[in-house]
Amino acid sequence: MKTSKRAWFVRIAAVVLLIVIGYIMSIIGRGHTLYLDNKALDYEGQHYDAPYKIGIYVNGEQLTKLYENERSSTTCLGQTFTVTLEIMETKNGTEVTETYKIPVPKDMDNVIINIPGYLAGLPQEAYIDEFVPAVTDDVDDEVPDTSDDGVAIGDI
Amino acid sequence: MKEKFNNFNVRSFISANSVPILFIIICAVMIPLSGFSFSYLINEIMTRLGRNSFLILSLLIPIMAGMGLNFGMTLGAMAGQIALILVADWQIWGIPGLVLAAIISIPLSVLLGLLCGNILNRAKGREMITSYFISYFMNGVYQLVVLFMMGPIIPIVHNTLKLPRGYGIRNTVSLLQMRQSVDNALAVYVGGVKIPVLTLVLIALACLFIVWFRRTKLGQDMRAVGQDMNVARDAGINVDRTRIISIVISTVFAGFGMIIYLQNMGNFSTYSAHTNVGMFCIAALLVGGASVEKASIGNVFLGVILFHTMFVVAPSAGTKITGDSMIGEYFRVFVSYGVITVALVMYEAKKRKENRTLGRQLAIEQAAEEKGETA
C-alpha cells in the first residue's frame, strides 16, 4: 500500500506539533522548590540589612511571615515566581505591600532567593543561589524486589 | 419495540448476562456487610471510575479486530511508566508534566505495539496467550532498562529517583507534584462526592474516539477482520496491517491510561505497578458483561462499577464474616483471576458448540445431497 504525499505531510505535521507541545510543557511545567530567605547580605563590599518582618503571599494566600534570619519554602511552576510581599522595615514601622515577579533560573531545582538582595535591585547572581540537599546513604532500595508473588494485588 | 419486548426471553437474558448479574448479587450481599456509608462508596467508585476507565477502554479495539483480550496492554503501561520516570527526573510538574509524559509515551507505545502486533500476526488464533507472554518478556526488558540503563545510558539526575548505588531507579517513584493534578482540575463536589470532571472529560473523549473510529474505513475493516479474517482478506483488506494498527492503538491508549491511573495514585511501584494492570482491567471488562469477541463502552463502565465495588467492600465484608481481612483480599484476587478463567472457558465452550452445530449441519446437508444423488 502506497502512502500518499498528503498522508506523509499530515504525519510529519502531527509529530512536529507533538514536539512543540512537549517543549512548551517542559517550559511552563518546570517545577522549582524555592527557599525564601530574610537574611542580611554582603555584596561587593556593601551590606544590605534584612527587614524586621516580611509577610509572603502566594496566589492570594498567606504563605508565611518571615522575621530576620528566617527561611520559608514554597514551590513554583515555570520561570517566574509571582509573590506579594508585605514588608515592615523596622519594628512597629509601616507595612509596604507590593507584588513582584522574580525570574527563576530554569536549570535550578532548589533555589534560594535572598529577599533583601532582590529588593535592593542586585543582579541575579547576588540574590539567587542553588540549594543542594545533602546526600544521605539510604539503606533501602539497594536491591529492588522485582519478583511478584502474585497473591495480593493491593489497591487498584 | 413491542416486538422486541415480546421476543424477550428471561432465560436467554440471564445466560447472556450471567457474570454481571452474579456480581450485582455479590455486591448486594457485601455492601451491607461491609458497613460502609453510601457516600463513601460513591466517592470510592467515582475515584476508581476516573482512575481505571481509560485503561479498560484500551482493550476495546483489539476485541473489535478479533484479537481477543489484549494482555499486551501491559506494554503500554510500561511505556507510560518510563515516560513518568523521565518527567519526574526533569522536574516537570502538574498537568504540563502529565501532558509531556503522554507525549513521550506515544513513540514508546507505538514501538512496543508494532513489536507486539507483528508477533501476534505470527500467532493467529492464539493471540491472548501470546500477548500474555509478550508482556512477561517485555517486563524483563523493562527491568533491564529501568534497573541498569537508567543512570549510565539514559541520564537520570536526581538522587531521589536513583538507587544509592548510582544507577537504576528506586522501588517507588514519587509523583507528589503531579498527584491528582488532572483529577483536581475542574473537580466539583456534589453531596460530598468529588467528581473529577477533567478526568471524566478525557474518558468521554476516548469513548467518542472509539465510537468515531468504528465508523471509519479502518474501523469497518477491523470489524470485518474480527468477524472472518479469510473473508476480509478476500475483500482486499490488509489483515495483518489492520491487526497491527489495532494493537498499536490499544498500546498507546494503555500508556495514556496508565498515566491517568498513576497521577491519581501519586506514586508507583517501579517494578510491579504495571504487572497487574492487564489482569484487573480485563477482569473488570469481563465483569461488565464483555466476552472475548464482543465488548462495548457500556461493558467498561458497568465493569468498573461492579468490579471495583466488589474490590472496595470485599476486605471489610470478609472481616465481618470471618474476622480476617485477608479472606476478603484473597476473595477479590480469586474473583479477579476466576472471572478471566470462566470467560475464557465459556468462550472456548461456545466456539466448540458452534463448531459442533456447524459440523452437524454439514453432515445433514451432505446426507441430503447423497440421498438426492442415489434417488
Side-chain angles (χ1 to χ4, degrees):
Chain A
M1 204 168 125
K2 223 177 158 187
T3 312
S4 68
K5 267 184 185 175
R6 189 174 165 272
W8 274 112
F9 177 76
V10 171
R11 284 176 197 179
I12 291 167
V15 171
V16 171
L17 181 70
L18 285 176
I19 292 170
V20 170
I21 294 171
Y23 180 73
I24 294 168
M25 293 299 135
S26 73
I27 301 290
I28 62 169
R30 177 68 165 95
H32 307 272
T33 305
L34 304 179
Y35 298 91
L36 306 169
D37 277 1
N38 182 20
K39 291 176 183 170
L41 176 75
D42 289 306
Y43 182 71
E44 289 182 343
Q46 190 111 20
H47 183 79
Y48 299 92
D49 276 326
Y52 168 72
K53 186 177 82 177
I54 305 175
I56 298 172
Y57 294 82
V58 179
N59 297 327
E61 283 180 28
Q62 187 176 38
L63 178 72
T64 187
K65 273 181 188 166
L66 286 182
Y67 289 90
E68 212 178 327
N69 289 324
E70 282 187 343
R71 169 178 285 182
S72 175
S73 76
T74 185
T75 55
C76 135
L77 272 190
Q79 270 60 255
T80 308
F81 175 52
T82 307
V83 62
T84 303
L85 301 177
E86 207 176 69
I87 302 156
M88 190 189 278
E89 284 294 342
T90 53
K91 198 175 179 179
N92 298 325
T94 52
E95 280 182 343
V96 180
T97 306
E98 200 145 346
T99 301
Y100 298 93
K101 287 189 174 184
I102 307 174
V104 181
K106 188 176 181 284
D107 56 332
M108 282 189 196
D109 294 335
N110 303 296
V111 186
I112 303 171
I113 299 174
N114 186 289
I115 297 174
Y118 174 75
L119 293 174
L122 298 179
Q124 200 180 55
E125 73 266 16
Y127 67 86
I128 275 186
D129 204 359
E130 186 164 16
F131 177 81
V132 184
V135 179
T136 52
D137 289 332
D138 295 336
V139 283
D140 70 323
D141 282 338
E142 188 52 63
V143 185
D145 179 18
T146 54
S147 66
D148 178 19
D149 63 8
V151 178
I153 44 181
D155 188 21
I156 56 169
Chain B
M1 183 79 184
K2 203 176 176 186
E3 200 179 321
K4 209 175 172 183
F5 186 76
N6 288 338
N7 291 340
F8 181 76
N9 185 335
V10 178
R11 217 169 140 185
S12 63
F13 176 80
I14 292 174
S15 110
N17 299 290
S18 52
V19 181
I21 290 169
L22 179 69
F23 268 80
I24 289 170
I25 295 167
I26 291 173
C27 291
V29 172
M30 279 187 170
I31 289 170
L33 281 174
S34 69
F36 290 137
S37 68
F38 184 69
S39 64
Y40 172 80
L41 268 179
I42 295 290
N43 230 331
E44 282 292 313
I45 301 304
M46 189 49 77
T47 305
R48 285 149 197 272
L49 203 68
R51 192 193 286 170
N52 292 284
S53 299
F54 207 107
L55 269 171
I56 303 170
L57 283 169
S58 74
L59 291 165
L60 295 186
I61 287 174
I63 292 176
M64 198 166 93
M67 299 178 83
L69 303 161
N70 180 23
F71 285 91
M73 67 175 288
T74 311
L75 274 59
M78 290 175 202
Q81 283 178 203
I82 289 175
L84 281 172
I85 291 171
L86 294 174
V87 168
D89 188 50
W90 299 339
Q91 298 271 299
I92 314 296
W93 296 349
I95 292 179
L98 295 171
V99 173
L100 184 60
I103 291 171
I104 294 167
S105 79
I106 294 172
L108 298 172
S109 295
V110 169
L111 276 176
L112 292 169
L114 284 172
L115 174 85
C116 185
N118 273 303
I119 295 172
L120 294 184
N121 274 343
R122 286 170 170 77
K124 287 192 185 95
R126 294 280 178 273
E127 286 92 352
M128 281 187 283
I129 186 71
T130 312
S131 64
Y132 194 62
F133 276 87
I134 291 172
S135 70
Y136 273 115
F137 159 66
M138 282 313 297
N139 187 31
V141 177
Y142 169 84
Q143 283 176 19
L144 178 77
V145 171
V146 176
L147 200 50
F148 293 100
M149 288 163 74
M150 283 199 167
I153 297 171
I154 303 163
I156 297 291
V157 179
H158 292 93
N159 289 323
T160 48
L161 282 170
K162 266 191 294 190
L163 287 164
R165 69 183 184 194
Y167 61 92
I169 301 298
R170 285 175 189 264
N171 268 334
T172 307
V173 172
S174 170
L175 303 174
L176 191 67
Q177 302 294 348
M178 293 179 227
R179 188 171 183 264
Q180 299 193 354
S181 41
V182 176
D183 296 340
N184 290 339
L186 308 176
V188 289
Y189 289 82
V190 180
V193 178
K194 181 183 166 188
I195 299 169
V197 176
L198 187 57
T199 315
L200 296 181
V201 167
L202 292 176
I203 292 164
L205 286 176
C207 293
L208 283 175
F209 171 80
I210 289 167
V211 170
W212 166 78
F213 184 75
R214 276 184 182 154
R215 291 173 186 170
T216 60
K217 162 84 172 63
L218 189 59
Q220 299 286 351
D221 286 358
M222 258 177 215
R223 283 161 81 169
V225 170
Q227 274 160 14
D228 196 315
M229 264 190 275
N230 293 322
V231 173
R233 194 173 288 119
D234 291 344
I237 296 169
N238 188 339
V239 172
D240 286 357
R241 181 177 172 271
T242 309
R243 283 161 56 96
I244 290 172
I245 291 171
S246 81
I247 291 294
V248 169
I249 294 173
S250 173
T251 315
V252 171
F253 262 52
F256 293 166
M258 194 65 181
I259 290 166
I260 291 173
Y261 172 81
L262 293 176
Q263 65 83 34
N264 178 272
M265 296 295 234
N267 63 54
F268 69 95
S269 168
T270 316
Y271 300 98
S272 61
H274 55 281
T275 52
N276 287 316
V277 157
M279 194 270 290
F280 70 71
C281 285
I282 286 166
L285 186 64
L286 294 173
V287 166
S291 69
V292 172
E293 54 196 349
K294 201 176 170 205
S296 67
I297 292 168
N299 296 139
V300 173
F301 294 109
L302 182 63
V304 175
I305 292 167
L306 290 177
F307 184 69
H308 284 277
T309 305
M310 187 275 296
F311 218 86
V312 172
V313 297
S316 181
T319 313
K320 292 270 162 59
I321 297 167
T322 63
D324 185 357
S325 65
M326 278 314 284
I327 299 287
E329 174 68 28
Y330 291 137
F331 177 76
R332 61 188 192 178
V333 175
F334 146 78
V335 168
S336 309
Y337 286 108
V339 74
I340 297 174
T341 313
V342 169
L344 296 180
V345 170
M346 276 165 65
Y347 172 65
E348 200 57 39
K350 194 180 162 197
K351 227 164 66 174
R352 281 185 190 180
K353 197 179 162 189
E354 277 172 5
N355 285 345
R356 266 205 308 272
T357 319
L358 208 70
R360 254 188 243 134
Q361 225 169 1
L362 269 173
I364 292 165
E365 278 170 19
Q366 238 171 359
E369 259 178 45
E370 276 170 19
K371 235 181 190 176
E373 273 174 24
T374 49

